[in-house]
Structure formats: structure tokens, C-alpha cells
Amino acid sequence: MNRHDLDAFVACFQPDFDSQQPIHPDRHFVGSDQVRKNWTRMFEGVPDFEGTLLHAAVTPDAIWSEWDWHGTRTDGTPFHVAANIIFGVRDDRFAWARLYMDSVETEGLGIDVQLRNWTGKEEGK
Amino acid sequence: MTIIDQIIEAMNRHDLDAVIACVTPDYISEQPAHPSRSYVGSGQLRTNLGRIFASVPNFRADVLAEGMINDEHWIETRWHGTRADDTAFDLRGVMIFATRNGLISRNRHYFEPVEAGTDVTAGISSWTSSKQ
């Protein structure tokens, strides 16, 4: 990933790799060909893309990983994504993943606005 | 029963006092994707969950997967229910808990409302293009 070596990257995935983003059910796909398409676009859109693995560990069923992906888009704006990915492994390759990720907000609105968005209510009402 | 089991069980009873008894007074909440939403203090947690329990009367938290990793407890969780106006409340993500003296002292989470509507190609575009 950090060498932007697509062949080496895609070789880490099973051909029938199953990718789910539970926050975005419509982004589900199956197949390492789609992995190649996605990351071709990622490396083109963010030429200095770099992924930093913050924490990772293996449990009997999965590999849990916490990531910071960063770089600069071709239009000069910053690319910054915080990600938590749970991987399943079969025969030393990724067989499935559930990805929870979002662009890092540079000017967020704070915890109160988040609760208002989640609950649909102002504080105290 | 772990402290994580206890807090989830207390949340599902909508028992705010029991929830707050599971965390340290200086509990830290962090969202790496949303730095502005960080806070310190169990009082803010009480405020937040109080608002959720009041607006989602059938609120429930489910643990979908979990693991103890180094000294941190990772859970994949879904919070769901129906708001008073009949709209769905549905959030999913991963929470990473650290503990001190048997209580939860820190929660770093990747947790968002479930959204329909954009496929994986649109998702990649939303990251690689600054035009949202």
C-alpha cells in the first residue's frame, strides 16, 4: 500500500474478497478486481498516499486494525481518513473485511451538535 | 461479567446511574474522525446518553464481535431503536475501551449513523475529491 504497488497489494486479497462498510451498506462489493479499481483511483487521486497502522491485533476470528490514511489530493487539498477495519483471513489472504472509516473533520461542530443530529432533539428538550 | 458487559447491560436497561458507575470520573471520549467531539468527564457521558434514552425510548446496544487486544477491549457494536418521531436510530462502529482500576477510563470510537445511498465508487470519490 505504501509503495503504491497495486499487484502486491491485490495479492493480499482472496479473489472472492467480501468488503462491507456497515455504515454504508450500498458500498458492499465482492472481488479483488474491485479492490484493484478502488486503489487505482486512490493512488491516482492521492499521489502521496500513505497509510499508518496505529494498532492491530489478532483474535481467533479476525484481525482488528486501526489506521490513519493521509496525503494530498491532486488539487492540493489534504486527504485524511481515520479507519478501523476488521479483517477475516483464509489461506494467508484477506477473505473479508468490515470497514468503519470517515474523513477526519478539520472544523467539527462538537459533541452537542453530534447528539442533536443523532437524536433529532436540542439539549434539554 | 466484564466491565464492558456491565456497561452494555446498563445501557440496555436505560439505567444512567449504572452506566456512569462503569466509568472513571475523568473518562475520555475520542473520535479520531471528529476531533472536535472529544470530551473528558463522566458528566458529559451522562448528558449524552440521557439525551439518547429520552429520544429513543426503545434504544438498544448490541455487541456484534469483540476481542481483548493488549490491554484494550475492542467491540464492534450496533446501537438501534426508533426515535419518538418514528424515524430509525441506527449507528454502527468499533469502540476501543481502556480501563483503569476496573473502570472504563477511555473510549476511542469509529462510530457513525448508517446511511443508504452511495456505492463504493462514490465513496472513493468522496475521499479522493475535495468536492463533496
Side-chain angles (χ1 to χ4, degrees):
Chain A
M1 181 193 273
N2 285 336
R3 289 200 318 270
H4 298 204
D5 183 337
L6 270 173
D7 289 337
F9 183 76
V10 174
C12 297
F13 295 81
Q14 289 286 353
D16 61 348
F17 172 72
D18 187 306
S19 172
Q20 293 189 47
Q21 295 185 40
I23 301 302
H24 304 284
D26 295 337
R27 296 183 189 176
H28 174 245
F29 67 84
V30 175
S32 58
D33 290 347
Q34 186 67 46
V35 173
R36 180 182 291 274
K37 286 179 188 166
N38 295 345
W39 285 88
T40 299
R41 298 185 60 202
M42 187 75 95
F43 295 148
E44 285 174 359
V46 186
D48 62 346
F49 174 93
E50 184 176 11
T52 302
L53 182 60
L54 303 174
H55 301 96
V58 180
T59 66
D61 302 320
I63 296 173
W64 300 63
S65 60
E66 192 176 2
W67 297 86
D68 186 286
W69 294 350
H70 45 268
T72 308
R73 301 185 185 105
T74 51
D75 65 2
T77 59
F79 164 87
H80 193 187
V81 167
N84 195 296
I85 306 175
I86 305 170
F87 290 104
V89 175
R90 188 178 74 241
D91 298 333
D92 296 328
R93 295 186 184 193
F94 297 126
W96 55 263
R98 293 194 296 275
L99 302 89
Y100 295 92
M101 50 180 56
D102 206 352
S103 291
V104 176
E105 288 182 326
T106 51
E107 295 181 14
L109 298 173
I111 190 71
D112 181 63
V113 171
Q114 175 186 29
L115 264 293
R116 194 172 68 210
N117 291 340
W118 284 2
T119 63
K121 289 184 183 302
E122 302 286 341
E123 187 174 6
K125 294 185 180 172
Chain B
M1 191 183 237
T2 69
I3 193 69
I4 308 303
D5 296 330
Q6 288 178 44
I7 197 169
I8 296 291
E9 195 256 351
M11 287 173 64
N12 284 335
R13 280 190 284 115
H14 299 201
D15 184 338
L16 270 178
D17 289 339
V19 170
I20 299 305
C22 295
V23 307
T24 61
D26 60 349
Y27 167 83
I28 297 170
S29 174
E30 296 172 307
Q31 297 183 55
H34 307 285
S36 77
R37 298 181 189 172
S38 296
Y39 65 84
V40 178
S42 60
Q44 183 67 50
L45 178 64
R46 178 186 288 273
T47 299
N48 296 348
L49 288 174
R51 290 175 68 179
I52 290 173
F53 296 157
S55 59
V56 187
N58 62 345
F59 169 87
R60 186 173 168 82
D62 293 327
V63 175
L64 308 173
E66 61 186 315
M68 192 71 194
I69 295 171
N70 300 325
D71 289 328
E72 295 182 317
H73 199 122
W74 294 45
I75 66 169
E76 184 181 17
T77 184
R78 178 182 177 216
W79 294 8
H80 56 106
T82 309
R83 299 188 188 93
D85 65 1
D86 269 345
T87 58
F89 173 88
D90 193 4
L91 296 104
R92 270 187 74 160
V94 171
M95 297 187 170
I96 302 164
F97 296 100
T99 59
R100 192 176 69 237
N101 299 328
L103 297 177
I104 297 167
S105 57
R106 195 178 198 109
N107 176 2
R108 190 164 73 253
H109 48 285
Y110 298 77
F111 194 65
E112 305 283 346
V114 175
E115 295 178 347
T118 55
D119 66 11
V120 70
T121 301
I124 299 282
S125 294
S126 73
W127 295 339
T128 58
S129 165
S130 60
K131 298 175 184 63
Q132 299 286 319

